[in-house]
Amino acid sequence: MWNPKFVKPSKFAKDAPLALALAFGMALTGCGNAGNSNTAAADPSSASDSTKTEQSQPADNKLVVYTAGPEGLANKLIEGYQAESGVQVDMFQGTTGKILARLEAEKSNPAADVVILASLPAAQGLKDDGLTLAYPEAKNADKLNADWSDAEGNYFSSSASALGIAYNTSLISTPPTSWADLSKPEYKDQVNIPDPSLSGSALDFMTGYLNANGDSGWDLFQSYKDNGAVLAGANKEALDPVITGAKGIVASAVDYMTYSAKAKGEPIDIVYPSEGTIISPRPAAILKSTQHKENAKAFIDYLLSDEAQKMVTNAYLMPGRTDIKADNRANLDEIPQLKADWNWMSENGAEVTERFLKLFK
């Protein structure tokens, strides 16, 4: 799926299969050498140890973070970490697909120190490709949901969202209760669905649904297409027309966006289908290429802190820590889940993306 004109296919590309994202990432500019601020050490023969420390090892006060929204939360996390540490953070924000594309485009001159993604298989792909720096001693890592994070400390899911069916309450008088409902005549031409090549969480849902239901799961997506469902960009692009009333429903809607819009008074709500859905963890990882290792570790510690986890719940996301609950949204034990294998989802993501795009485009 990765365009060979730009990138030689690799295991990284396979395991992080947001297939069209590279084209977007290659068009992005910026960052350059933002992550490479350390200077080389002085020759030991030319100065004393104390002089070397002063002249060749200046205080490291930089960090580059690539993060998949939400924007308000990302800004608050960065501000909180900067206030606590005194470290200056440069941030790039985009979808998981755009972040992975940017990493691929910059692989000869890495800039990012830490990435926060909206897809667990994407983080698994980074680990499997040897691109992550393990940090097993991260503070509060033992309090994280073990199913969402790496036992060896290569990635830490500090938050999660669930995929559901978002609907405009002014247009839809009888909300659907199952995924199959969206192929009913009353919802014809009313459904948006996010593009899995741009949205890591949408890909999580599609691969998770297929893993749980086998190849017959494609019948559901075919029925959506036959009922007039359309591919509508990433998550925000799929949801915005439903908020405004141009469309009635989003299949595989990211729940925190819906909760946030509802809290602002928009005519929107969400249901979790009775047969179950996929929880989409949001993993953070330190890249092995980091030039600011200690700052990166401190940033992971901050993401898992009480303060940051409160920011997570305020943004209508599920906290990554099991000892913290949200009071403004459904918690993990209140959401029916599909039984799915994340390893299978990671291994089959590229094939699912390609087939899904051929179906809808």
Side-chain angles (χ1 to χ4, degrees), residues 24-266:
F24 291 90
M26 295 295 279
L28 297 171
T29 59
C31 273
N33 294 323
N36 301 319
S37 61
N38 289 350
T39 57
D43 185 339
S45 63
S46 64
S48 68
D49 288 345
S50 61
T51 303
K52 275 195 301 176
T53 300
E54 291 177 6
Q55 294 182 351
S56 63
Q57 297 179 14
D60 183 4
N61 66 344
K62 293 184 179 180
L63 190 71
V64 179
V65 177
Y66 289 2
T67 177
E71 182 176 2
L73 172 61
N75 289 335
K76 288 178 181 178
L77 289 170
I78 296 301
E79 290 167 3
Y81 171 70
Q82 288 183 147
E84 179 181 276
S85 66
V87 171
Q88 177 63 43
V89 178
D90 293 331
M91 179 177 68
F92 166 73
Q93 187 171 45
T95 65
T96 295
K98 290 183 179 181
I99 290 171
L100 294 175
R102 189 160 185 150
L103 293 178
E104 187 73 15
E106 295 174 345
K107 63 183 180 181
S108 63
N109 187 26
D113 300 299
V114 175
V115 293
I116 304 174
L117 306 171
S119 172
L120 188 62
Q124 290 174 323
L126 293 178
K127 176 192 172 183
D128 292 346
D129 241 27
L131 300 177
T132 55
L133 178 71
Y135 179 37
E137 64 272 23
K139 295 178 182 178
N140 293 311
D142 59 328
K143 299 176 183 176
L144 291 173
N145 187 316
D147 293 334
W148 300 350
S149 297
D150 180 52
E152 298 172 345
N154 285 278
Y155 53 83
F156 309 86
S157 291
S158 59
S159 64
S161 61
L163 289 310
I165 299 173
Y167 63 97
N168 185 300
T169 55
S170 298
L171 296 177
I172 306 298
S173 57
T174 305
T177 61
S178 75
W179 296 114
D181 283 349
L182 299 186
S183 58
K184 291 181 176 179
E186 56 260 44
Y187 303 124
K188 184 172 178 60
D189 299 327
Q190 286 293 308
V191 178
N192 277 348
I193 188 164
D195 185 333
S197 71
L198 301 176
S199 166
S201 55
L203 181 57
D204 286 353
F205 165 68
M206 292 161 195
T207 54
Y209 186 87
L210 291 165
N211 179 237
N213 291 278
D215 201 54
S216 63
W218 284 106
D219 294 342
L220 177 76
F221 302 134
Q222 182 66 59
S223 71
Y224 286 0
K225 174 66 174 177
D226 294 342
N227 206 38
V230 296
L231 214 56
N235 301 308
K236 187 176 186 298
E237 289 76 16
L239 183 63
D240 282 349
V242 175
I243 292 175
T244 62
K247 287 282 188 174
I249 291 173
V250 180
S252 185
V254 178
D255 63 358
Y256 76 84
M257 290 184 176
T258 307
Y259 285 121
S260 178
K262 181 181 178 181
K264 295 174 183 176
E266 300 290 359

Side-chain angles (χ1 to χ4, degrees), residues 148 160-163 204 277-281 318 332 335-337 342:
W148 300 350
S161 61
L163 289 310
D204 286 353
T277 187
I278 295 295
I279 305 294
S280 186
M318 282 183 279
L332 182 62
I335 301 173
Q337 296 180 57
W342 285 100

